[in-house]
Amino acid sequence: MPHIDITMLPGRDDTAKKEIAVKVQQLLAKELNIDEKFVSVSIEDVEKEQWTAHMKRLKDKKMFVEPGV
């Protein structure tokens, strides 16, 4: 049961976030050939001023796609 955690700057309402989450869920389920009900997606808003500190906390996670690359 994969879980995707999206971190982004604030500014999108819950409707937009839900649309993003559903699209990510559908894509991942299709790619993994599993039912969408097994994929969960969360979205966290991080203020611009806290972005660098937040990203530093993720340094121990293996990122397969990094910003700017």
Side-chain angles (χ1 to χ4, degrees):
M1 292 193 189
H3 174 76
I4 303 298
D5 184 24
I6 299 171
T7 305
M8 63 179 154
L9 297 176
R12 293 162 186 89
D13 62 21
D14 285 349
T15 301
K17 289 177 187 177
K18 176 72 174 186
E19 289 174 6
I20 292 167
V22 168
K23 288 177 182 179
V24 169
Q25 178 193 44
Q26 291 169 343
L27 174 68
L28 189 59
K30 181 179 177 184
E31 289 297 316
L32 296 176
N33 196 29
I34 61 175
D35 195 290
E36 291 174 10
K37 69 181 180 184
F38 297 118
V39 180
S40 58
V41 180
S42 62
I43 297 178
E44 176 184 4
D45 288 338
V46 174
E47 296 293 334
K48 186 176 183 180
E49 300 78 24
Q50 301 299 318
W51 189 263
T52 301
H54 177 80
M55 294 304 289
K56 283 182 183 178
R57 289 193 297 272
L58 300 178
K59 69 179 180 172
D60 294 331
K61 290 189 177 185
K62 185 173 187 175
M63 285 196 191
F64 291 92
V65 179
E66 295 192 31
V69 179

